[in-house]
């Protein structure tokens, strides 16, 4: 319980189960004595012309100012004329890398018990350019964009991550045998960065083969870095290996030192407000945020409490085969602190 | 052992281990009394200007004439100025659908024992357009093309396949939340076709979620239909669930009734010529070819012999943890016939 001046962090509780799991995080963090003041922002009910989405300008300003935040699930309201909330955040805050550690949780059995990998996804371009076009009726095209700048910065992030986290290998995932120019440029950038990190083993794996290897033997991988769409696919695949998006944290890294940790699962409107949601992904994302803030002691302590509570098995939410409420599960974690 | 006039089929033994596993197929088919005359074609040693690749014009003519063929692995020679052999075949023969059944083999243990699904991949467009472009230095783009014609025909193939093979559900895999125009058109076509098959359940699954569900519980799926790149990724993922590309067959369907069955694994140059290769994928692809030819009795007989040989476990090649040679494994299959 250090008594430093508190750090201000933005909190997006999000929709659906978001507020309940955000409540859980606040409870656990307070119990652990984490020196954080939350600045809460909800998704607006009208389109903010300055963001072209339901995200308010103020909420984006809050992240820009605090440079650190935690985000629950946000369902994009149906309708035309506005942008996806998640994509708006990535674009407006220039969140160029999405980091997802994926490891087997002791005591939570899946078909795999040897998973310990990190996917690092380029988060701003590729098939997510938003550029699409109907050539003639019945013929449409989408543009995939790869730039040297975005590829270098995510590669740099991946190698730096590997080096500072005691990782030994970086695998660049691609389909350059088909997309020689786009994925070829991505690989070229990865190779350039790899040369600056001779202590890290570098390899290139074609995405189809990568997926096959991941389901056969995920222990073959360590850190994976890849363009946007492959990252979207492979990070979910990896989450599946260890139990799903309800158990895996993520953190988005932005250009000016911004870090926005995020639970990437859905907002589960069917169970919203029923005290049934599993807060683990948001809690573990919160732990990533603490590590980013170098609050390593509290991060470790909270991480251990979460893992031990799940391993013990006495308090588990329904998605993990238990019958605990969100509040009981949260209390159990606090008791472990 | 029916005594019909033999059917002529094209055989591409391919490179590396190709000739050895093709030998195995010929042996097993002869032993089973399959009424097929093989017309063998090898990859040329020079670029044929009429195909712009190392594939000879004659070999393509052979498939066009016979309308049926079997293909081993073909490594595309390194160098510029020619097209990938596999892509050339798909393009020149208009092989619009790639069908990959993926099922757990009795007696061959993986982490999954409940896999029984069919991936049907659009095989001609999407990210495989070959259209790429450098905008300025450091900025490149690839075009993904989706057409109504190609989407309808692969959807039609998938639903027809489901109906004629006693399957209950077709899942269209997409990322239309991001690529609304391209993947949106693909889904629109699938929906149109689905309406003609009220007895088949139709659903749409986002690719990232699909991959997560596949590794958590593949029994959730039945027939999957999808654009080219997703098919490339998901069919390999599915193969991984049941043991890898050495065990999974595939068949390419063309517009004019052409069917080219194919082992999709690599040519494994490291073990080529050493009598160590596993012929299972090519054998099972041969079985798909026989089913296409309505030689169902022999297809069934050979299929059973392969499965039983592997299940028995006495003769297995090194990739399956055994120490049998290709010829011994092949002989064991023949003995089961
Ligand atoms: C919701 C969707 C737009 C998003 C994406 O495709 O990036 C999601 O799948 C993710 O991984 O955050
Ligand atoms: C070799 C490669 C071009 C090919 C593809 O990407 O289609 C392969 O992965 C396949 O699935 O047949």
């Amino acid at each position: 319980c250090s008594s430093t001046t508190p750090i201000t962090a933005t909190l997006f509780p999000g929709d659906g189960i978001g507020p309940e799991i955000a409540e859980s995080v606040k409870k656990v963090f307070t119990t652990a004595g984490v020196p954080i003041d939350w600045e809460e922002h909800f998704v607006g009910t009208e389109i903010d012309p300055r963001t072209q989405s339901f995200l308010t300008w103020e909420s984006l300003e809050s992240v820009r100012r605090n440079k650190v935040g935690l985000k629950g699930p946000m369902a994009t309201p149906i309708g035309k004329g506005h942008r996806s909330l998640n994509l708006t955040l990535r674009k407006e805050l220039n969140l160029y890398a999405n980091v997802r550690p994926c490891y087997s949780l002791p005591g939570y059995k899946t078909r795999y018990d040897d998973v310990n990998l990190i996917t690092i996804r380029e988060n701003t371009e590729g098939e997510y350019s938003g550029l699409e076009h109907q050539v003639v009726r019945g013929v449409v095209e989408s543009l995939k964009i790869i730039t040297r700048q975005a590829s270098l910065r995510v590669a740099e992030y991946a190698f730096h991550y590997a080096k500072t986290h005691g990782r030994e290998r970086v695998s660049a995932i691609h389909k350059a045998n088909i997309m020689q120019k786009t994925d070829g440029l991505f690989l070229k950038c990865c190779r350039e960065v790899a040369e600056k990190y001779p202590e890290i083993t570098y390899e290139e794996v074609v995405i189809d083969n990568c997926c096959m290897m991941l389901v056969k033997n995920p222990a073959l991988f360590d850190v994976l870095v890849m363009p946007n769409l492959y990252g979207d696919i492979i990070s979910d695949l990896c989450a599946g290996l260890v139990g799903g998006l309800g158990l895996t944290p993520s953190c988005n890294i932005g250009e000016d030192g911004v870090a926005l940790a995020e639970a990437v699962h859905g907002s589960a409107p069917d169970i919203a407000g029923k005290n049934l949601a599993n807060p683990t992904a948001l809690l573990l994302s919160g732990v990533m945020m603490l590590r980013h803030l170098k609050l390593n002691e509290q991060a470790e302590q909270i991480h251990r409490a979460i893992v031990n509570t799940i391993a013990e098995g006495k308090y588990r939410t329904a998605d993990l085969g238990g019958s605990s409420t969100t509040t009981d599960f949260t209390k159990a974690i606090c008791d472990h602190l």
Side-chain angles (χ1 to χ4, degrees), chain A:
Chain A
C1 298
S2 50
S3 60
T4 32
T5 356
I7 297 162
T8 307
T10 305
L11 178 62
F12 292 103
D15 317 309
I17 56 171
E20 294 161 81
I21 59 178
E23 210 47 60
S24 171
V25 172
K26 287 192 278 184
K27 184 102 199 283
V28 171
F29 276 34
T30 305
T31 309
V34 174
I36 283 192
D37 274 346
W38 296 109
E39 211 172 272
E40 278 191 67
H41 284 274
F42 283 86
V43 176
T45 52
E46 287 174 27
I47 295 175
D48 186 319
R50 289 164 297 177
T51 69
Q52 288 170 59
S53 86
F54 287 89
L55 282 170
T56 63
W57 184 252
E58 289 70 28
S59 66
L60 296 184
E61 280 297 301
S62 165
V63 185
R64 285 197 193 99
R65 189 174 53 243
N66 299 326
K67 294 204 183 303
V68 65
L70 180 64
K71 171 187 167 294
M74 285 182 187
T76 297
I78 312 268
K80 292 262 152 93
H82 62 87
R83 294 191 297 179
S84 140
L85 300 178
N86 289 307
L87 298 192
T88 302
L89 278 169
R90 290 176 202 169
K91 204 149 243 172
E92 293 293 332
L93 299 174
N94 209 353
L95 301 172
Y96 69 86
N98 180 257
V99 184
R100 289 224 228 159
C102 208
Y103 43 86
S104 304
L105 278 179
Y108 183 69
K109 235 189 111 42
T110 71
R111 289 178 161 97
Y112 301 83
D113 48 24
D114 47 1
V115 183
N116 180 8
L117 44 81
I118 312 281
T119 63
I120 298 182
R121 163 184 182 183
E122 200 293 319
N123 220 10
T124 65
E125 54 180 33
E127 276 92 342
Y128 285 65
S129 72
L131 298 169
E132 293 190 292
H133 173 72
Q134 172 173 305
V135 184
V136 292
R137 251 183 94 79
V139 180
V140 286
E141 54 188 32
S142 301
L143 269 187
K144 164 173 171 169
I145 312 271
I146 298 285
T147 68
R148 181 171 158 78
Q149 192 220 353
S151 303
L152 279 177
R153 88 186 152 177
V154 76
E156 185 61 61
Y157 187 84
F159 278 93
H160 183 259
Y161 184 100
K163 184 172 174 168
T164 52
H165 288 73
R167 299 272 171 174
E168 285 167 11
R169 198 147 40 97
V170 170
S171 312
I173 312 306
H174 68 96
K175 191 77 196 177
N177 47 341
I178 294 300
M179 282 161 281
Q180 300 176 0
K181 290 195 181 163
T182 49
D183 286 5
L185 175 57
F186 182 80
L187 287 185
K188 189 167 172 291
C189 294
C190 288
R191 279 175 213 153
E192 267 181 55
V193 176
E195 284 193 3
K196 299 197 289 169
Y197 292 83
E199 68 278 31
I200 308 284
T201 307
Y202 171 66
E203 64 170 4
E204 296 169 358
V205 185
V206 181
I207 177 152
D208 46 343
N209 191 31
C210 175
C211 290
M212 187 169 65
M213 288 164 76
L214 277 170
V215 300
K216 285 184 77 170
N217 186 6
L220 292 171
F221 292 100
D222 193 349
V223 175
L224 298 92
V225 63
M226 56 218 133
N228 211 342
L229 180 66
Y230 309 150
D232 182 50
I233 294 169
I234 286 194
S235 59
D236 271 32
L237 189 168
C238 292
L241 300 177
V242 300
L245 296 182
L247 295 174
T248 47
S250 95
C251 189
N252 298 286
I253 305 297
E255 278 262 276
D256 322 299
V258 166
L260 182 63
E262 172 189 23
V264 289
H265 57 66
S267 58
D270 48 321
I271 58 161
K274 295 187 179 155
N275 200 14
L276 293 173
N278 181 358
T280 303
L282 194 63
L283 280 163
L284 291 176
S285 301
V287 169
M288 286 184 83
M289 189 189 91
L290 295 183
R291 292 221 169 91
H292 173 84
L293 292 169
K294 305 258 186 292
L295 295 169
N296 290 323
E297 207 179 304
Q298 276 122 340
E300 208 32 66
Q301 199 190 347
I302 295 173
H303 187 256
R304 232 180 358 243
I306 299 166
V307 169
N308 289 341
T309 303
I310 293 173
E312 224 174 68
K314 208 168 144 205
Y315 295 96
R316 282 189 184 177
T317 46
D319 58 316
L320 302 185
S323 60
S324 293
T325 59
T326 310
T327 41
D328 283 349
F329 177 70
T330 304
K331 190 170 171 310
I333 294 171
C334 292
D335 291 345
H336 271 91
L337 281 169

